[in-house]
């Protein structure tokens, strides 16, 4: 008999706090019940063989001879394997089959989910591994390093954190500087709805890394002026206004978004905890406007999806979510108007964009881990 294992890792939706994580800021993500699963059988050698259930493609790597990135999906697995080894954690070879309910390139952190699923698969295939030995935040940071250093996308910690540490029924308020976090229970009577715009994201493109560089430029300018800032988390609007000429228009707008988004994130937590739906709508709208006008990471498709949602009675709040440049919106919706929202999108969004939206009703889910083990003949 052979021991077969299944591991899973969820996607995430960020309620608010966008492009703040790599600025030591505040974020409010939730893991969701769209996920990646890997069914696996451990091998006696150090080979990892993965088949994609969607199209039958095969990927293979030798854990003892991981080469340079190739630009494909297997890079995420290889990068995680390298970081596990560097951290002194055990890895094992495996034959696996990867399946997903989580759409790729839609802004729901399929890359982080793949990283966490790979981490759990590689650990679970190792001799003597026990799930209780995993420290979830440390594993999230390890997967972030894999994406930053091996894949080459300079993401913050939020995506991996949500995929690893998610709690059912809750969003998580994370301080990306201290790494302190706490659950925020989502109000009953509101449905979490993700609208996939049909416009695919390309997160590895230079625009994402450019935004991060612009924020770092802002910090450099503030420091040169004598301000005591380690990151934009320490900046204030007064600081930015005094330095506006030195910052220049583009960097000023990037920095202003980050400073104000941190304030909005704390306000959104208070609104969720008091079920203040008017405030939630205003905060989501302000966040989307800022991402569109100051940070310039929205898109015509995202703007159209938000416009259609906010014009639908019973939609409490709507904004783009994730890194931007396409992808998804996140919506808080009264349950009895979900069908009305879907109809409005199918009518008005399609007419405006020519794209076919996909509406996902999601719930906040627990973080990645081992699902089950079964005896296979």
């Amino acid at each position: 008999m052979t021991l077969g294992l299944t591991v899973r890792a969820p996607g995430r939706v960020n309620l608010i706090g966008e492009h703040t994580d790599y600025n030591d800021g505040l974020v409010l993500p939730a893991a969701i019940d769209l996920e990646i699963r890997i069914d696996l059988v451990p091998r006696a050698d150090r080979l990892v063989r993965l088949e994609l259930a969607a199209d039958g493609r095969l990927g293979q790597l030798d854990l003892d001879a991981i080469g340079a990135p190739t630009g494909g999906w297997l890079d995420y697995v290889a990068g995680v394997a390298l970081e596990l080894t560097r951290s002194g954690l055990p890895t094992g070879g495996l034959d696996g089959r990867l399946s997903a309910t989580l759409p790729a390139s839609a802004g729901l952190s399929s890359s982080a989910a793949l990283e966490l699923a790979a981490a759990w698969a590689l650990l679970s295939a190792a001799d003597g591994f026990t799930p209780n030995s995993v420290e979830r935040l440390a594993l999230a940071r390890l997967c972030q390093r894999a994406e930053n250093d091996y894949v080459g996308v300079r993401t913050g910690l939020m995506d991996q954190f949500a995929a690893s540490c998610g709690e059912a029924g809750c969003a998580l308020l994370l301080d990306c500087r201290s790494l302190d976090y706490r659950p925020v229970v989502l109000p009953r009577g509101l449905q979490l709805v993700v609208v996939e715009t049909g416009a695919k994201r390309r997160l590895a493109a230079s625009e994402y890394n450019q935004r991060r560089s612009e924020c770092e430029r802002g910090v450099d300018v503030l420091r040169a002026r004598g301000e005591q800032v380690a990151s934009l988390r320490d900046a204030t609007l007064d600081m930015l206004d005094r330095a506006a000429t030195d910052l220049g228009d583009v960097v000023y707008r990037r920095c202003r978004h980050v400073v104000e988004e941190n304030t909005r994130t704390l306000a959104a937590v208070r609104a969720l905890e008091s079920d203040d739906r008017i405030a939630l709508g205003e905060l989501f709208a302000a966040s989307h406007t800022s991402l569109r006008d100051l940070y310039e990471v929205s898109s015509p498709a995202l703007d159209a999806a938000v416009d259609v949602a906010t014009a639908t009675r019973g939609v409490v709040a709507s904004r783009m979510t994730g890194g931007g440049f396409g992808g998804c919106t996140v919506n808080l919706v009264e349950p009895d108007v979900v069908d009305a929202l879907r109809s409005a999108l199918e009518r008005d969004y399609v007419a405006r964009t020519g794209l076919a939206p996909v509406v996902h009703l999601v719930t906040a889910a627990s973080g990645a881990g081992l699902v089950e083990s079964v005896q296979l003949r």
Side-chain angles (χ1 to χ4, degrees), residues 3-73:
L3 181 65
L5 305 170
T6 298
V7 298
R8 58 168 286 279
R12 71 96 187 92
V13 64
N14 191 29
L15 298 187
I16 199 166
E18 219 68 78
H19 288 276
T20 52
D21 56 346
Y22 53 80
N23 289 295
D24 287 346
L26 302 169
V27 294
L28 189 65
I32 57 175
D33 56 346
L34 299 175
E35 63 185 20
I36 289 175
R37 289 196 174 210
I38 299 177
D39 301 312
L40 66 105
V41 176
R43 294 174 60 105
D45 57 22
R46 299 280 290 164
L47 288 181
V48 172
R49 291 169 51 88
L50 279 174
E51 176 189 5
L52 299 185
D55 57 19
R57 280 186 294 162
L58 292 172
Q60 178 173 303
L61 61 90
D62 184 339
L63 293 174
D64 295 327
I66 296 174
T70 62
W73 63 272

Side-chain angles (χ1 to χ4, degrees), residues 209-361:
N209 289 344
Q210 181 180 338
R211 294 300 184 279
R212 185 162 182 166
S213 296
E214 289 162 347
C215 291
E216 292 167 351
R217 168 63 180 160
V219 172
D220 289 342
V221 169
L222 292 174
R223 285 177 180 163
R225 292 174 55 85
E227 303 287 4
Q228 301 300 306
V229 292
S231 69
L232 285 180
R233 174 68 177 276
D234 304 312
T236 66
L237 291 181
D238 285 344
M239 283 184 195
L240 298 181
D241 288 342
R242 290 194 298 268
T245 300
D246 292 342
L247 289 168
D249 177 64
V250 171
V251 172
Y252 172 84
R253 287 188 287 115
R254 306 296 190 251
C255 295
R256 185 179 184 95
H257 163 75
V258 172
V259 171
E260 293 181 330
E261 187 80 345
N262 282 323
T263 300
R264 282 190 288 267
T265 300
L266 291 176
V269 170
R270 294 191 293 269
L272 285 167
E273 292 177 332
S274 62
D275 199 9
D276 186 341
R277 300 185 179 190
I278 293 175
L280 283 171
E282 292 172 347
L283 289 162
F284 273 45
S287 176
H288 185 81
T289 298
S290 182
L291 288 159
R292 183 191 67 205
D293 298 342
L294 299 183
Y295 222 70
E296 296 182 285
V297 293
S298 189
S299 68
L302 287 166
D303 295 343
V306 169
D307 288 347
V308 171
T310 54
T312 303
R313 185 182 298 275
V315 174
V316 171
S318 179
R319 59 180 287 276
M320 62 157 281
T321 187
F325 312 111
C328 291
T329 65
V330 57
N331 306 268
L332 296 173
V333 180
E334 295 174 3
D336 59 354
V337 300
V338 170
D339 288 343
L341 173 59
R342 183 181 284 108
S343 295
L345 288 164
E346 291 172 351
R347 181 186 64 245
D348 300 333
Y349 175 79
V350 173
R352 180 165 161 180
T353 67
L355 298 170
V358 180
V359 177
H360 301 281
L361 277 62

Side-chain angles (χ1 to χ4, degrees), residues 173-223:
L173 175 64
L174 171 67
D175 182 328
C176 294
R177 168 171 285 171
S178 69
L179 301 184
D180 293 333
Y181 65 93
R182 68 176 179 88
V184 177
V185 178
L186 299 179
R188 294 183 178 180
L190 285 182
Q191 173 67 53
L192 191 58
V193 177
V194 171
V195 176
E196 192 178 347
T197 63
K200 297 295 185 182
R201 295 173 66 240
R202 292 174 175 82
L203 187 58
S206 62
E207 289 284 352
Y208 185 93
N209 289 344
Q210 181 180 338
R211 294 300 184 279
R212 185 162 182 166
S213 296
E214 289 162 347
C215 291
E216 292 167 351
R217 168 63 180 160
V219 172
D220 289 342
V221 169
L222 292 174
R223 285 177 180 163

